[in-house]
Amino acid sequence: MTEQSPVTQTNAARVAQSPDGQVVTAVRHYTDSLFSFRITRPASLRFRSGEFVMIGLMGDNGKPLMRAYSIASPNWDEELEFYSIKVAEGPLTSKLQHIQEGDHVILRPKPVGTLVHDALVPGKRLWLFSTGTGFAPFASLLRDPETYQKFEQVIVTHTCRDVAELTYGRELVESVKNDEMLRELIGEENLDKLVYYPTTTREQSPKMGRITHLIENGEVFSDLGVPALDPATDRAMVCGSLGFNLDIKALLEGAGLREGANSDPAEFVIEKAFVG
């Protein structure tokens, strides 16, 4: 372990010996506030693309400190990928941001969540609205062939403050369109279905503005050449901050779309799990 180890060697050993302990296989830092990591996947773990699990480390008191994390990898991946913020005062992320390849983290392999195809009724166009690390569950869904089998068009919007914060999402979309294995898995005929719409709110970029404002003024629809939201054709998934989720929900309901759930599918769903 290094001087930046997120836990003491004793606690790290406890994680490694835990039945839920998993090995970190890769870590990548994008900015001073964003990073991704991959861990081993238990052979028994099954999940639907878009679901989340509990990830954690041992706290200073020797007890597990757990938080909900959306699985960013698709359900066919042999490893599990996660996309996280770094919070200096965050009980978990202040430590988790220092993990390195070969370290261990705790995984509670009981996936749940509402950002799944089962929670939506059939439709023509799927909107994936995200801010910040809210892109994570969509990174899973965008690499799942089922997403393209169910919809004629898939539009993913990602709003961040600065251009660098869009890197994870941009590279993910590029990989779907350009990676040979993903192209074959998803199908060449489906690649044109995917539309990426990134915006920034602080640093200058080709497209500025909050997606909520761009929906309200109709700009996003004119930019993409698609009609306004219609409950007869449009379906949506939403993942971001609490304020963002509530604002998008109001816009979707204003357009006539109803919120769904696993037990009661409808036109849109919202993820309510947060990381800190």
Side-chain angles (χ1 to χ4, degrees):
M1 305 296 287
T2 69
E3 292 181 353
Q4 286 190 319
S5 172
V7 290
T8 65
Q9 289 191 14
T10 300
N11 278 349
R14 290 175 183 166
V15 174
Q17 294 167 5
S18 165
D20 293 330
Q22 298 298 325
V23 181
V24 177
T25 60
V27 181
R28 179 178 174 186
H29 296 269
Y30 296 90
T31 69
D32 59 3
S33 62
L34 295 169
F35 73 108
S36 66
F37 60 98
R38 293 176 68 85
I39 66 173
T40 52
R41 175 179 177 173
S44 61
L45 176 62
R46 299 290 182 269
F47 68 94
R48 295 174 295 175
S49 294
E51 290 187 313
F52 65 87
V53 290
M54 301 299 290
I55 288 287
L57 295 167
M58 286 296 183
D60 295 334
N61 61 0
K63 296 181 179 179
L65 180 59
M66 311 295 293
R67 292 290 185 273
Y69 268 84
S70 291
I71 303 173
S73 47
N75 55 19
W76 49 261
D77 201 323
E78 294 181 353
E79 295 183 335
L80 300 177
E81 180 181 323
F82 300 93
Y83 184 43
S84 178
I85 56 174
K86 306 175 187 178
V87 181
E89 298 81 22
L92 176 59
T93 57
S94 60
K95 298 178 175 64
L96 192 63
Q97 64 181 291
H98 298 301
I99 59 172
Q100 299 176 15
E101 186 175 336
D103 286 347
H104 289 75
V105 298
I106 302 169
L107 166 72
R108 294 285 164 76
K110 296 181 180 179
V112 292
T114 57
L115 299 183
V116 294
H117 291 304
D118 293 342
L120 294 177
V121 292
K124 176 182 178 180
R125 182 179 299 106
L126 176 63
W127 291 85
L128 304 174
F129 295 110
S130 66
T131 60
T133 55
F135 191 91
F138 303 150
S140 177
L141 286 156
L142 290 174
R143 288 180 281 186
D144 188 334
E146 183 181 3
T147 301
Y148 304 91
Q149 295 165 5
K150 286 183 172 293
F151 296 95
E152 297 177 20
Q153 189 174 41
V154 180
I155 302 172
V156 56
T157 79
H158 193 199
T159 301
C160 296
R161 295 168 303 172
D162 304 320
V163 174
E165 296 173 343
L166 294 169
T167 302
Y168 179 84
R170 173 178 54 79
E171 291 185 351
L172 188 285
V173 172
E174 289 175 352
S175 73
V176 171
K177 291 180 174 289
N178 300 316
D179 181 87
E180 184 175 349
M181 187 273 289
L182 284 174
R183 288 171 64 92
E184 181 177 352
L185 181 69
I186 291 169
E188 294 281 347
E189 71 280 5
N190 291 319
L191 296 177
D192 290 338
K193 292 183 177 182
L194 177 56
V195 178
Y196 176 51
Y197 192 80
T199 71
T200 56
T201 57
R202 185 169 66 185
E203 183 181 2
Q204 190 67 36
S205 71
K207 193 64 189 181
M208 301 286 295
R210 298 181 183 279
I211 190 63
T212 48
H213 178 65
L214 299 174
I215 292 172
E216 289 176 315
N217 66 16
E219 200 168 331
V220 62
F221 308 116
S222 59
D223 285 345
L224 299 178
V226 299
L229 295 168
D230 183 342
T233 56
D234 292 285
R235 304 294 174 259
M237 296 183 176
V238 186
C239 191
S241 66
L242 178 59
F244 170 79
N245 289 355
L246 293 174
D247 289 343
I248 291 286
K249 177 179 179 178
L251 290 170
L252 293 172
E253 291 181 336
L257 281 72
R258 299 168 299 121
E259 184 174 1
N262 281 276
S263 59
D264 185 22
E267 289 81 42
F268 77 90
V269 287
I270 295 177
E271 187 54 84
K272 301 177 176 66
F274 299 96
V275 174

